[in-house]
């Protein structure tokens, strides 16, 4: 079935039918064909970048509309804030890093994952290739930019340990999330901790110098990354909507992966801070390499296993991000998650 492409005119003619008068029904709109859709908000983990292309593609191609959803995509300001906003009911759904979800649940936030899509972590040490760093041992004596308190910083010691090193072997220089790239480009640090799907391509374009990576998943440490989440209240009161949101998202990721150029093009105008098309393309290409573990290879995007969840939970308990390793069901609702 060919999906309808949404046009600006279609969006402009959408009519508000219900003004969110509390309760669990939410708001609805009608499209140009007179079909009633649930008005849904999705808050990202950060300002739009290539990783988010499937959401914009799914909206543009009418995939969410086919599942009865009128999707409003909002920029985020970090996974932690997205998890908090989702728990507070300020957004219907969130796209956030699993470590932030684990930490939020351990702190009493009533949220659940509906499926992790990036199952191989994009976490990496990033640096200009001229640094001649080819293996973790080459980081000894280097200065690495990081952000105090975030998941990458908390887990970095485990990465070092997995590679026969200690925290004393590397100097970590704390800066805000936006300042890490500047620290490397200005020569204040030798490297940064970040996502291979995010900073690297941007830093390479801005500096004109090649960027290389030590990807944690290739050096002994893998864990779940970004996925779809919602508040327990939504699961309890609007379970059908949650299932449709997951189904549409999985479909959007599948089709975007088969139509990469169109997926990137769908992001045009998504943000004033949007990277160039070249960077978006590189970011999205990197992202598509992260959709599975060995246990889910060949499955649909977002299909998770309890065993993979347990591995991630144990890693972040060992890192002190959560005090105690709970069972997967405390963090993940498998009932609405994508099915095999």
């Amino acid at each position: 079935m060919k999906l309808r492409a949404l046009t600006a005119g279609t969006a402009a003619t959408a009519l508000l039918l219900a003004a969110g008068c509390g309760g669990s029904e939410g708001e609805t709109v009608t499209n140009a064909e007179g079909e009633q859709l649930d008005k849904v908000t999705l808050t990202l983990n950060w300002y739009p970048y290539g990783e988010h292309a499937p959401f914009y593609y799914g909206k543009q191609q009418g995939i969410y509309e086919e599942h009865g959803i009128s999707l409003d995509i909002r920029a985020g300001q970090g996974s932690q804030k997205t998890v908090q906003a989702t728990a507070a009911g300020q957004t219907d759904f969130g796209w956030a890093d699993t470590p932030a979800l684990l930490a939020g649940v351990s702190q009493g936030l009533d949220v659940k994952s509906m499926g992790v899509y990036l199952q191989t972590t994009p976490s990496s040490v990033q640096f200009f290739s001229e640094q001649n760093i080819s293996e973790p041992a080459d980081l000894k004596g280097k200065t690495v930019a990081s952000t105090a308190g975030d998941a990458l910083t908390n887990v970095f010691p485990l990465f070092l340990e997995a590679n026969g090193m200690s925290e004393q072997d590397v100097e970590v220089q704390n800066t805000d999330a936006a300042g890490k790239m500047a620290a490397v480009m200005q020569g204040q640090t030798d490297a940064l901790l970040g996502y291979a799907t995010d900073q690297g391509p941007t830093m390479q374009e801005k500096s004109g110098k090649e960027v290389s990576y030590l990807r944690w998943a290739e050096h002994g440490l893998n864990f779940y990354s970004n996925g779809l989440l919602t508040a327990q209240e939504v699961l309890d009161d609007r379970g059908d909507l949650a299932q449709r949101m997951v189904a549409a998202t999985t479909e959007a990721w599948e089709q975007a992966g088969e139509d990469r150029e169109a997926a990137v093009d769908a992001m045009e105008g998504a943000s004033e801070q949007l990277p160039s098309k070249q960077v978006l393309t590189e970011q999205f290409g990197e992202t598509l390499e992260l959709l599975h573990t060995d246990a889910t290879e060949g499955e649909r995007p977002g299909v998770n296993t309890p065993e993979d969840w347990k591995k991630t939970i144990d890693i972040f308990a060992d890192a002190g991000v959560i005090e105690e390793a709970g069972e997967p069901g405390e963090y993940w609702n498998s009932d609405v998650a994508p099915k095999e």
Side-chain angles (χ1 to χ4, degrees):
M1 176 178 61
K2 183 169 178 63
L3 300 174
R4 296 187 302 274
L6 294 180
T7 65
T10 300
T13 57
L15 302 174
L16 184 63
L17 293 182
C21 36
S24 60
E25 292 304 314
E27 298 180 3
T28 59
V29 298
T30 55
N31 61 14
E33 289 77 29
E35 298 167 333
Q36 184 169 308
L37 309 173
D38 287 297
K39 192 174 181 181
V40 167
T41 53
L42 170 69
T43 299
L44 304 173
N45 57 313
W46 196 245
Y47 295 102
Y49 60 94
E51 176 185 303
H52 306 129
F55 297 112
Y56 291 92
Y57 178 83
K59 180 175 179 177
Q60 182 192 72
Q61 295 296 314
I63 295 173
Y64 285 96
E65 186 173 333
E66 288 287 338
H67 289 270
I69 292 171
S70 173
L71 186 65
D72 176 21
I73 306 170
R74 299 175 177 176
Q77 294 182 318
S79 287
Q80 182 180 14
K81 290 185 178 180
T82 296
V83 172
Q84 293 169 343
T86 305
Q90 297 167 356
T91 183
D92 297 310
F93 300 99
W95 177 257
D97 202 21
T98 300
L101 171 75
L102 298 179
V105 172
S106 72
Q107 294 162 8
L109 298 184
D110 207 2
V111 293
K112 287 281 180 70
S113 171
M114 302 192 300
V116 176
Y117 287 75
L118 305 192
Q119 297 172 27
T120 296
T121 178
S123 301
S124 63
V125 185
Q126 305 179 23
F127 42 84
F128 290 127
S129 301
E130 63 191 26
Q131 290 282 350
N132 293 319
I133 297 172
S134 59
E135 59 185 34
D138 294 333
L139 293 174
K140 288 185 178 181
K142 301 291 187 181
T143 303
V144 179
S146 188
T147 302
D150 71 2
L152 286 176
T153 305
N154 290 334
V155 181
F156 188 46
L158 295 185
F159 169 76
L160 295 173
E161 181 182 344
N163 290 280
M165 301 168 66
S166 71
E167 295 179 61
Q168 287 68 43
D169 289 326
V170 180
E171 180 183 348
V172 175
Q173 181 172 307
N174 289 319
T175 182
D176 59 78
K180 290 190 292 188
M181 285 194 299
V184 174
M185 288 190 290
Q186 294 171 9
Q188 297 170 351
T189 65
D190 301 304
L192 63 81
L193 299 182
Y195 284 172
T197 54
D198 186 2
Q199 294 97 338
T202 299
M203 192 162 62
Q204 185 165 277
E205 181 180 68
K206 287 185 175 181
S207 67
K209 297 194 290 186
E210 183 182 12
V211 172
S212 295
Y213 309 86
L214 289 177
R215 303 171 194 272
W216 293 11
E218 296 176 357
H219 293 280
L221 189 65
N222 186 45
F223 47 86
Y224 274 172
S225 186
N226 288 349
L228 200 61
L229 65 140
T230 194
Q232 184 63 49
E233 183 177 4
V234 173
L235 294 168
D236 292 339
D237 297 342
R238 307 176 74 190
D240 173 68
L241 173 61
Q243 289 182 323
R244 287 186 281 119
M245 181 66 179
V246 171
T249 298
T250 294
E251 195 173 316
W253 275 82
E254 286 176 327
Q255 294 193 25
E258 296 172 358
D259 198 5
R260 297 188 186 193
E261 184 174 357
V264 170
D265 287 342
M267 296 194 72
E268 184 176 357
S271 167
E272 292 182 359
Q273 295 91 358
L274 195 69
S276 70
K277 183 175 179 179
Q278 179 179 343
V279 169
L280 290 172
T281 300
E282 291 180 21
Q283 290 173 331
F284 186 41
E286 291 278 355
T287 298
L288 291 174
E289 301 297 319
L290 309 176
L291 298 185
H292 302 97
T293 65
D294 290 342
T296 59
E297 193 64 46
E299 302 289 357
R300 304 186 73 194
V303 172
N304 298 169
T305 69
E307 294 76 18
D308 283 337
W309 266 99
K310 186 63 176 171
K311 290 176 184 176
T312 295
I313 294 165
D314 288 344
I315 285 172
F316 286 96
D318 289 344
V321 174
I322 55 177
E323 292 185 6
E324 185 177 345
E327 292 301 314
E330 295 180 34
Y331 313 99
W332 169 52
N333 187 304
S334 59
D335 293 336
V336 298
K339 300 300 184 287
E340 300 179 4

